[in-house]
């Protein structure tokens, strides 16, 4: 009986992989709302046939536990083939070490310096040199209101939809790539690369699934 059940479960997992062949993304973040709402919105914006064949799961934990949480979830949910850690520079002291440890553990990192809002600002054609996350969020709020006519809220579930409606995602990716190269040339330490973000790498990859 145990052998039959084991075989049945194994077949079920294989079937799930086949049905969702376009990609499995397990995103671990240290924020409860902004990134989660953004990536959920991204998935919902994908074409129906693509959305049915791609899995994006967002989990939340404290910054210091990002890698440990990612390893735990990867062990439990081995069907997720791509592990991404998404977090901000903010005031994280071991920012560079977290990135290095993640990469050495076969994980990809979508980091933002100083904060995630620098990536979203790119949708509106700008990535200013904001000194810290407080200024970043405040100034992005002004940009967001200017372009959308709405007040920016971190818990907004429509943030991605608004960015797509009033902004330019292809332009955001191009701008983020340019800023990343410029910042990297100035300083090899990610903690010193500001303004910069690698979230565009994850977004570009997921969006490419709907264009193939």
């Amino acid at each position: 009986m145990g052998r039959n059940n084991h075989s049945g479960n194994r077949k079920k997992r294989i079937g799930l992989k086949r049905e969702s062949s376009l990609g499995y993304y397990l995103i671990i973040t240290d924020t409860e709302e902004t990134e989660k709402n953004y990536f959920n919105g991204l998935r919902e914006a994908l074409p129906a046939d693509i959305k049915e064949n791609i899995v994006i799961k967002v989990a939340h934990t404290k910054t210091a536990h990002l890698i440990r949480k990612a390893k735990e979830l990867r062990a439990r949910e081995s069907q997720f083939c791509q592990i991404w850690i998404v977090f901000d520079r903010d005031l994280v002291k071991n920012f560079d070490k977290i990135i290095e440890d993640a990469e050495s553990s076969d994980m990809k990192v979508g980091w933002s310096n100083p904060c995630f809002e620098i990536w979203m600002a790119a949708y509106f054609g700008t990535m200013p040199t904001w000194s810290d996350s407080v200024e970043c969020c405040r100034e992005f709020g002004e940009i967001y209101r200017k372009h959308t006519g709405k007040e920016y809220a971190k818990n907004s579930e429509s943030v991605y939809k608004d960015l797509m409606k009033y902004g330019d995602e292809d332009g955001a990716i191009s701008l983020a790539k340019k800023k990343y190269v410029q910042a990297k040339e100035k300083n090899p330490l990610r903690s010193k690369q500001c303004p910069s973000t690698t979230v565009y790498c994850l977004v570009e990859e997921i969006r490419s699934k709907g264009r193939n």
Side-chain angles (χ1 to χ4, degrees), residues 31 33-35 37 88 115-117 137 152-157 159:
T31 63
E33 298 173 322
T34 310
E35 284 87 335
N37 290 335
D88 298 344
C115 67
F116 191 78
E117 280 76 7
C137 291
Y152 172 61
K154 282 183 168 292
N155 63 353
S156 171
E157 296 182 357
V159 63

Side-chain angles (χ1 to χ4, degrees), residues 19-23 25 42-56 205-212:
E19 290 171 6
S20 297
S21 58
L22 289 178
Y25 296 87
L42 187 158
R43 181 181 179 279
E44 288 303 308
L46 293 172
D49 57 329
I50 302 299
K51 184 165 59 177
E52 291 175 358
N53 290 288
I54 187 170
V55 176
I56 301 175
E205 181 173 326
I206 294 175
R207 290 292 297 183
S208 71
K209 306 294 185 181
R211 294 170 180 163
N212 293 335

Side-chain angles (χ1 to χ4, degrees), residues 62-77:
K62 293 182 178 179
T63 307
H65 303 155
L66 282 168
I67 295 177
R68 186 178 71 188
K69 181 72 170 182
K71 288 180 177 179
E72 290 174 355
L73 291 174
R74 179 164 61 184
R76 293 207 307 264
E77 306 192 48

